[in-house]
Amino acid sequence: MIEKIAISVEFILSKVSVDWQDTLWAFDHKLLGWKSIIELAEKRILDGSEVELEIDLAFSGKGNSEFVGQTLRELASTESPRPDSVAHDKWLYVVLAWLFENREAFSAPLSNVEEIYADFDYPEDIVEFIAYMPSIDEYDPSRHSPDENTQRMFRKWEEYLTSNEKLYRISAESV
């Protein structure tokens, strides 16, 4: 995973709704640390949750990463099972949205996208903005300048984000 990635809970919740299965997937894939898990539990409590495991998690405190992981697994097991691909796709979107919004902080954000592409097992959804992949439409990069090709990849990245933002907004509203 790209270094310097520290996605805040606030950013995550501004993009998608997450349940404990999503959170466990991100924890297991080192996208979220125990502090973020506790923060998510705190937000649930502030929103009115009275689930005992969430309360325990919210008040677990520092240095209790083993307890956090165990409690997170218990919480995730209380939810209806679903394929890992649901969480995978959601977190791919979140990570790419975060990187896009913070791209100025990176010297080569499209190279970071390539790392994400590999870390997420080469998802076809983002192949259009992976520099070393062949174009999947009529576009011929050899007929354009490097700057035009780069701008095109940024547009494709933004199109992916816009499309998925609509998808996650709709699914969050239907819950």
Side-chain angles (χ1 to χ4, degrees):
M1 189 57 61
I2 62 172
E3 291 184 41
K4 298 182 188 174
I5 191 166
I7 304 173
S8 71
V9 168
E10 186 176 302
F11 179 86
I12 293 164
L13 296 177
S14 77
K15 296 295 179 187
V16 297
S17 62
V18 292
D19 60 20
W20 292 116
Q21 286 182 51
D22 297 326
T23 305
L24 178 59
W25 192 94
F27 182 74
D28 285 346
H29 290 86
K30 299 181 181 14
L31 294 172
L32 290 178
W34 62 269
K35 289 179 185 177
S36 296
I37 307 306
I38 291 171
E39 189 177 340
L40 283 166
E42 290 169 348
K43 289 196 177 294
R44 294 259 178 124
I45 301 307
L46 290 172
D47 288 342
S49 174
E50 295 179 2
V51 174
E52 190 173 325
L53 284 173
E54 290 178 352
I55 294 169
D56 292 346
L57 192 54
F59 292 102
S60 63
K62 294 181 179 180
N64 236 340
S65 59
E66 188 174 316
F67 174 79
V68 169
Q70 179 184 3
T71 306
L72 177 57
R73 289 181 198 298
E74 287 180 55
L75 282 165
S77 73
T78 65
E79 297 172 345
S80 298
R82 62 167 195 259
D84 276 352
S85 61
V86 173
H88 172 278
D89 294 349
K90 186 180 287 191
W91 286 105
L92 175 63
Y93 164 71
V94 169
V95 170
L96 288 170
W98 180 88
L99 180 59
F100 190 83
E101 289 188 22
N102 294 280
R103 65 191 178 279
E104 301 300 325
F106 295 88
S107 59
L110 288 170
S111 293
N112 297 121
V113 170
E114 292 174 9
E115 289 179 49
I116 293 166
Y117 180 61
D119 289 343
F120 279 80
D121 296 322
Y122 310 97
E124 289 184 34
D125 307 26
I126 69 171
V127 75
E128 287 188 288
F129 49 99
I130 303 300
Y132 62 81
M133 294 299 290
S135 180
I136 61 172
D137 56 17
E138 301 289 322
Y139 186 81
D140 182 358
S142 67
R143 295 178 175 224
H144 301 275
S145 71
D147 186 54
E148 289 172 324
N149 290 328
T150 298
Q151 292 308 312
R152 180 177 186 274
M153 283 190 281
F154 276 105
R155 277 193 312 278
K156 292 293 187 179
W157 184 1
E158 191 168 23
E159 288 170 11
Y160 163 85
L161 294 174
T162 301
S163 170
N164 279 276
E165 177 182 38
K166 291 175 184 172
L167 171 74
Y168 289 114
R169 185 178 303 132
I170 290 167
S171 63
E173 289 172 357
S174 64
V175 174

